[in-house]
């Protein structure tokens, strides 16, 4: 049973990936500093899988803490690295926080993996590396554009760091560039739990519907899209989590075609902000208050994936619809508002 480290493993995508790893028999060690997550997520993972993962509360920006961790867990077979700050708007306002947190931690982890005879590394990247692509859908061969935000830049630089390290080490890596994860586990035991005001669309929608927010702000309705609002590729988080396990198994079983591989993870379909609002109103049966406001700096007009490579090479594809993903997010939101343990 291979031991796998999941950094940011109590976060939104990380926790769902921990569930899928444990369901496949992996021994999981979660690293999280709880800066944007809740310790109660461990209990949710245990209720789903019947097993609580090993948990280490450390800040990956502390080099000695990272060194001590890998000394203690010297039998780690692979790392899935989620831990990073991820809000585009916040990164524009506080770029140094993003460069320190997203790049420093990555370097420290790779320094430890470089010492091993063999190491496997899955990197949580993003479609933001493509910027505003000129052609839709976006394939892995689409040129990487100049970043539109410090967050996007950290993903680009992170990929470049990994590419450089792979050339001179025994590390094999896969970069997973995913689009817009939404939804929650069907059990409603884990889901998206943003601290403070949500930076992503769907949790803002569900919080508004619950009355926590007065109304939803739609950033711009003058984009050259079907209804003037931004278009994104919204992927169910469980589908996304399963892709990480498949990618990891590809490395562990030495099926990778090169020491570094790249895959887009999305549904292949774009949905506008207003279409997502309409889908929510359909699955929830209630109207959502929203207003059109000025565009937000750093937002691209549209982004949706060409999933051919992931479908054929990884043998992975999404199975959940937009309605199913939004319905699961709404079920999760309703549950956590009844649970005083979650202090979101």
């Amino acid at each position: 049973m291979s031991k796998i480290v999941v950094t940011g493993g109590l976060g939104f995508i990380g926790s769902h990936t921990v569930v899928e790893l444990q369901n496949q028999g992996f021994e999981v060690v979660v690293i999280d500093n709880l800066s944007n997550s809740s310790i109660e997520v461990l209990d949710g993972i245990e209720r789903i899988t019947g097993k609580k993962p090993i948990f280490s509360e450390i800040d990956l920006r502390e080099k000695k803490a990272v060194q001590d961790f890998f000394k203690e867990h010297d039998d780690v077979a692979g790392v899935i690295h989620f831990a990073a700050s991820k809000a585009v708007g916040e990164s524009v306002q506080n770029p140094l926080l993003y460069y320190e947190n997203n790049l420093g931690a990555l370097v420290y982890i790779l320094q430890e993996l470089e010492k091993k005879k063999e190491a496997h590394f899955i990197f949580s990247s993003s479609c933001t590396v493509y910027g505003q692509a000129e052609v839709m859908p976006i394939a892995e061969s689409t040129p990487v554009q100049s970043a539109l935000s410090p967050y996007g830049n950290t993903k680009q630089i992170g990929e470049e760091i990994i590419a450089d390290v792979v050339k001179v080490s025994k590390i094999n890596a896969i970069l997973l560039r995913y689009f817009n994860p939404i939804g929650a586990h069907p059990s409603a035991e884990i889901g998206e739990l943003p601290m403070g005001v949500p930076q992503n669309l769907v949790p803002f929608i569900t919080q508004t519907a619950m009355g926590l927010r007065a109304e939803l702000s739609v950033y711009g309705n003058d984009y050259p899209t079907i209804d003037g609002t931004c278009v994104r590729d919204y992927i169910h988080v469980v589908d996304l989590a399963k892709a990480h396990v498949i990618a990891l198994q590809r490395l562990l079983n030495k099926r990778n075609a090169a020491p570094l591989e790249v895959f887009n993870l999305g549904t292949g379909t774009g949905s506008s902000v207003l279409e997502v609002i309409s889908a929510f109103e359909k699955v929830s049966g209630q109207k959502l208050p929203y207003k059109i406001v000025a565009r937000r700096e750093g937002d691209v007009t549209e982004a949706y994936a060409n999933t051919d490579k992931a479908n054929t090479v990884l043998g992975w594809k999404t199975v959940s619809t937009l309605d199913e993903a939004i319905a699961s997010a709404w079920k999760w939101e309703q549950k956590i508002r009844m649970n005083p343990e979650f202090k979101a």
Side-chain angles (χ1 to χ4, degrees):
M1 183 169 60
S2 299
K3 180 187 284 188
I4 305 300
V5 173
V6 180
T7 73
L10 297 188
F12 177 39
I13 308 170
S15 61
H16 287 81
T17 301
V18 171
V19 165
E20 298 303 323
L21 286 167
Q22 292 196 162
N23 283 343
Q24 293 294 318
F26 289 98
E27 180 183 6
V28 179
V29 185
V30 169
I31 294 177
D32 204 299
N33 67 357
L34 303 177
S35 63
N36 194 35
S37 58
S38 171
I39 191 68
E40 284 79 15
V41 175
L42 278 174
D43 298 325
I45 293 171
E46 184 178 22
R47 286 191 291 270
I48 296 169
T49 67
K51 182 179 181 180
K52 184 176 290 188
I54 302 166
F55 175 62
S56 181
E57 183 181 350
I58 65 174
D59 191 327
L60 292 169
R61 292 173 295 184
E62 298 175 5
K63 185 173 184 175
K64 186 175 186 305
V66 177
Q67 291 173 331
D68 290 345
F69 174 87
F70 279 95
K71 285 178 184 175
E72 179 183 355
H73 298 279
D74 61 357
D75 56 343
V76 166
V79 174
I80 303 180
H81 182 47
F82 292 106
S85 302
K86 62 181 180 63
V88 169
E90 182 186 47
S91 77
V92 173
Q93 298 298 319
N94 196 350
L96 289 178
L97 168 68
Y98 275 67
Y99 289 119
E100 178 191 34
N101 196 38
N102 293 9
L103 299 179
L106 172 64
V107 169
Y108 297 155
I109 292 170
L110 291 174
Q111 284 175 334
E112 297 309 303
L113 293 183
E114 196 174 31
K115 299 173 184 176
K116 300 173 73 66
K117 294 180 180 179
E118 182 180 72
H120 307 97
F121 188 73
I122 306 294
F123 182 59
S124 169
S125 193
S126 168
C127 64
T128 59
V129 302
Y130 298 112
Q132 180 54 70
E134 295 180 1
V135 178
M136 293 293 146
I138 299 171
E140 289 82 356
S141 58
T142 299
V144 171
Q145 305 272 7
S146 295
L148 297 177
S149 69
Y151 164 70
N153 203 25
T154 65
K155 290 302 183 184
Q156 289 184 11
I157 296 169
E159 289 193 0
E160 291 167 0
I161 290 170
I162 295 165
D164 288 339
V165 172
V166 163
K167 293 174 184 175
V168 296
S169 72
K170 298 296 185 181
I171 299 173
N172 282 269
I174 291 179
L175 312 177
L176 296 179
R177 295 173 177 166
Y178 36 83
F179 284 65
N180 292 69
I182 61 171
H185 195 271
S187 67
E189 293 290 355
I190 57 173
E192 191 164 8
L193 193 68
M195 300 298 166
V197 179
Q199 300 291 327
N200 296 326
L201 176 61
V202 171
F204 209 112
I205 285 176
T206 57
Q207 288 192 14
T208 301
M210 288 296 293
L212 275 71
R213 313 288 167 194
E215 61 184 356
L216 172 73
S217 293
V218 176
Y219 296 102
N221 67 343
D222 58 350
Y223 287 94
T225 61
I226 186 172
D227 54 27
T229 62
C230 291
V231 169
R232 299 289 183 270
D233 188 337
Y234 295 95
I235 175 175
H236 197 299
V237 66
V238 173
D239 285 335
L240 185 61
K242 289 178 178 178
H244 288 75
V245 179
I246 292 170
L248 177 68
Q249 290 170 327
R250 179 174 174 84
L251 293 182
L252 293 173
N253 294 326
K254 297 180 171 36
R255 294 199 303 266
N256 49 312
L260 181 67
E261 294 183 315
V262 181
F263 296 95
N264 285 343
L265 299 180
T267 66
T269 301
S271 301
S272 74
V273 174
L274 292 182
E275 286 176 329
V276 174
I277 291 172
S278 177
F280 173 79
E281 291 178 338
K282 181 172 66 174
V283 301
S284 69
Q286 66 183 73
K287 295 293 289 183
L288 188 80
Y290 69 88
K291 65 178 178 181
I292 306 297
V293 299
R295 291 186 181 192
R296 181 172 55 184
E297 185 177 357
D299 280 342
V300 301
T301 300
E302 61 180 347
Y304 55 96
N306 179 325
T307 62
D308 290 349
K309 185 178 179 183
N311 296 161
T312 57
V313 179
L314 278 185
W316 166 90
K317 63 180 179 179
T318 57
V319 296
S320 295
T321 65
L322 177 65
D323 286 0
E324 289 168 341
I326 291 175
S328 68
W330 180 227
K331 179 182 177 182
W332 162 250
E333 185 71 50
Q334 291 174 299
K335 177 177 179 178
I336 61 175
R337 295 310 151 196
M338 306 301 170
N339 187 348
E341 289 182 346
F342 291 109
K343 304 295 193 298

